[in-house]
Amino acid sequence: MEERYDLAVIGGGINGCGIARDAAGRGLKVHLCEMNDLASGTSSWSTKLVHGGLRYLEYYEFRLVREALIEREVLWRMAPHLVSPLRFVLPHHAGLRPAWLLRLGLFLYDHLGGRKLLPPTSVVDLARDPRGAPLKKGMFGKGFEYSDCRVDDTRLTVLNARDAADRGATIETRTRAVAAVRGADGWRVTLETRDGVRREIVARALVNAAGPWVSRVLGEAVKLETKSKVRLVQGSHIVVRKLYDHDRCYIFQNTDGRIVFAIPYLDDFTLIGTTDRDYSGDPAEVRATEEEISYLLDAAGAYFEAPIVRGDVVWSFSGVRPLYDDGAGEAKAATRDYVFELDTAVAGAPLLSIFGGKITTYRRLAEHALADLAPHLPGMGGAWTAKAGLPGGDFAVDGVRALAADLVARHPFLSTREAARLAGAYGTTAHAILGTATRREDLGRDFGAGLGEAEVRHLMTREWARTADDVLWRRSKLGLFMPKDAIPALEAFMAANAG
């Protein structure tokens, strides 16, 4: 029997999964295919922020910044287990951006987006305040502190896919769209699995949300020329041993005009990033180069009192941002806004290709995408995602600690740290994972670093995990804590239990 859908989505990053979720909730029959794992490209290699983009104000991207600022609190309410507030310290560096410009930018940042929950900007005396203690002595007198949010980028993507599937969408990972042919009855999309099995589905509309591969999909699968171009920009990060003890983040201005973040990460580390450089290779092969690692070490090291050396780096990662090519001279100046190209050459069979976009604005991007497709998909419901929580997010924005405490009360074998991780990753879904366990043994095999068999089974059956990397580096970051000699046992278990 022929598989027919209202909407086919190519790409399992944040934009594709966000569109699939929104469309499924509007009553559409949706199919999403991803050639690798969900969020295995750009969407898992971000700076882990939901932010307005303070520096984008310098490039007059007021619409984008306003939309992103509004979305911070929308996403916080939707997913309080994945999104949480942060305070950023911005030291005033004499000789770079003047204090009046920083004040103006932060005033706009406070007021453009209708901030309600996050605290406003304040002035910090870095010479006396503990927030200035980790910085080089005598380098700064004044600074500013403002609000943004952190996010678990991969889990945000996966939970959008999970919610889409719960609303009826078909999500297929490790499945590539090798051809898409438009006809009178819609798009005939040929899918190919990792073992070479091919089949066809038919969809009334097609969305190309392939991120860095958007142009490749158009050229190789759809065989269609496009007016828009994608600009691949590499962004790399390093994770070092914890540089300081408080919970504030820092945003530093560099003499080359770029900015670098230093963010407390997973209790034991500090995340430093990011770089901006044009990239021309295969997006799947991108890696943080030694040059970039050195750049980030030098950039952060210029500000912190304690030296930061190569041996402090415990992990580095890199991703390719698929930005819309607006002709900007430098990668750092290229727009972070999203651009759609809607092709309706054949009546009733539209193709929407997405260029650019940010994790922060993915939900609004999805709404805009479906608004553009609405004339071609009669009967589709209206927008709904702004007030609908993601799986596990059915609690108050300040309720993660209370949830973690409840997990310890119900399952006293959990450490406070383990409970905090489970609450922060799964929200109330943690109750289903832990079930009625009263002893650690009730969760099955212990793979190390607090990862039990019950959690792995959940990730396999509910979150499309297939490999140890899917579990350790995307759906969690337990790869930073698990001994390398413990990983083969996890790989063997997952291979034996693959369904």
Side-chain angles (χ1 to χ4, degrees):
M1 183 176 176
E2 195 169 60
E3 294 180 63
R4 288 189 167 271
Y5 297 89
D6 296 311
L7 183 66
V9 181
I10 299 173
I14 188 61
N15 291 335
C17 291
I19 290 170
R21 175 191 185 230
D22 195 341
R26 295 176 190 237
L28 297 181
K29 187 176 182 183
V30 179
H31 183 282
L32 180 145
C33 68
E34 162 56 47
M35 64 179 179
N36 296 309
D37 183 27
L38 296 173
S40 56
T42 306
S43 297
S44 60
W45 306 125
S46 75
T47 313
K48 324 299 181 191
L49 296 179
V50 166
H51 67 134
L54 181 61
R55 71 184 182 91
Y56 305 150
L57 292 173
E58 290 188 306
Y59 300 104
Y60 309 109
E61 299 237 34
F62 297 112
R63 190 213 67 79
L64 173 63
V65 174
R66 173 175 165 74
E67 184 172 88
L69 288 171
I70 294 171
E71 285 298 289
R72 293 179 308 178
E73 296 190 3
V74 173
L75 298 184
W76 187 14
R77 290 189 182 98
M78 281 173 50
H81 47 327
L82 307 181
V83 179
S84 57
L86 292 174
R87 292 290 279 174
F88 282 83
V89 176
L90 170 59
H92 171 236
H93 194 307
L96 297 181
R97 295 169 180 86
W100 69 264
L101 182 61
L102 298 181
R103 284 181 180 275
L104 175 60
L106 290 167
F107 176 83
L108 292 172
Y109 212 68
D110 273 348
H111 294 90
L112 269 178
R115 176 187 50 79
K116 295 178 181 177
L117 299 176
L118 295 168
T121 297
S122 60
V123 178
V124 183
D125 181 351
L126 293 176
R128 300 182 180 182
D129 193 280
R131 287 165 287 185
L135 305 178
K136 287 192 172 177
K137 300 297 184 284
M139 190 172 186
F140 303 108
K142 180 194 296 184
F144 305 92
E145 186 177 273
Y146 69 93
S147 293
D148 265 324
C149 295
R150 78 166 80 241
V151 66
D152 188 320
D153 49 7
T154 305
R155 295 208 54 74
L156 185 71
T157 303
V158 171
L159 291 190
N160 270 271
R162 180 67 264 161
D163 200 41
D166 289 344
R167 297 174 188 275
T170 298
I171 309 293
E172 293 193 77
T173 61
R174 274 86 176 179
T175 302
R176 189 163 63 98
V178 296
V181 179
R182 183 159 42 189
D185 60 344
W187 287 93
R188 290 190 171 270
V189 183
T190 302
L191 305 174
E192 183 179 81
T193 62
R194 285 283 178 87
D195 55 7
V197 176
R198 290 191 175 194
R199 78 180 199 280
E200 239 183 36
I201 64 170
V202 179
R204 293 163 59 194
L206 179 65
V207 170
N208 176 8
W213 293 272
V214 60
S215 295
R216 186 179 299 180
V217 167
L218 286 169
E220 297 179 5
V222 183
K223 300 191 183 307
L224 184 71
E225 292 186 6
T226 175
K227 299 174 185 176
S228 302
K229 293 182 180 180
V230 66
R231 180 173 185 170
L232 301 182
V233 174
Q234 180 176 0
S236 296
H237 300 75
I238 57 175
V239 175
V240 301
R241 295 180 180 87
K242 185 165 65 172
L243 296 177
Y244 51 89
D245 291 326
H246 63 70
D247 63 354
R248 283 351 191 221
C249 311
Y250 293 93
I251 174 172
F252 299 127
Q253 307 174 73
N254 293 337
T255 55
D256 61 4
R258 302 183 198 177
I259 56 97
V260 167
F261 295 107
I263 302 170
Y265 191 59
L266 300 177
D267 296 328
D268 296 341
F269 308 106
T270 301
L271 173 66
I272 300 173
T274 178
T275 60
D276 273 306
R277 53 190 280 172
D278 287 310
Y279 183 79
S280 59
D282 182 348
E285 300 299 324
V286 65
R287 300 289 185 274
T289 66
E290 284 299 322
E291 179 187 353
E292 289 181 297
I293 292 171
S294 294
Y295 171 84
L296 293 172
L297 288 171
D298 291 344
Y303 288 86
F304 286 111
E305 181 72 22
I308 314 171
V309 298
R310 184 66 176 84
D312 294 326
V313 179
V314 298
W315 183 41
S316 64
F317 62 89
S318 189
V320 175
R321 307 181 192 101
L323 306 182
Y324 174 71
D325 190 352
D326 59 355
E330 295 181 274
K332 68 180 182 181
T335 181
R336 266 52 177 180
D337 210 346
Y338 51 85
V339 174
F340 296 158
E341 186 170 291
L342 180 62
D343 185 298
T344 56
V346 176
L351 165 65
L352 182 68
S353 297
I354 299 169
F355 297 83
K358 288 165 47 66
I359 283 178
T360 306
T361 54
Y362 88 90
R363 191 197 65 82
R364 289 290 287 141
L365 180 152
E367 285 187 339
H368 290 160
L370 291 170
D372 283 2
L373 291 171
H376 309 279
L377 296 169
M380 180 174 67
W384 63 278
T385 58
K387 296 183 179 180
L390 286 170
D394 50 338
F395 59 95
V397 293
D398 58 353
V400 175
R401 288 185 180 178
L403 175 58
D406 183 51
L407 292 179
V408 171
R410 296 188 188 202
H411 313 280
F413 60 88
L414 290 176
S415 69
T416 301
R417 180 164 174 154
E418 287 172 328
R421 181 185 73 81
L422 291 169
Y426 302 102
T428 56
T429 303
H431 291 307
I433 296 172
L434 295 169
T436 59
T438 57
R439 304 174 306 149
R440 193 172 298 277
E441 292 78 7
D442 295 337
L443 298 177
R445 185 169 181 175
D446 185 352
F447 295 101
L451 179 67
E453 181 179 325
E455 184 177 357
V456 176
R457 288 188 181 278
H458 171 85
L459 294 173
M460 294 178 70
T461 59
R462 296 288 293 170
E463 295 193 8
W464 298 275
R466 294 292 177 267
T467 70
D469 273 359
D470 296 350
V471 171
L472 298 177
W473 294 107
R474 280 185 282 277
R475 286 153 188 81
S476 77
K477 295 299 180 286
L478 290 176
L480 284 167
F481 303 96
M482 183 173 286
K484 286 185 170 55
D485 59 6
I487 296 175
L490 174 61
E491 291 174 334
F493 174 84
M494 295 182 71
N497 290 275

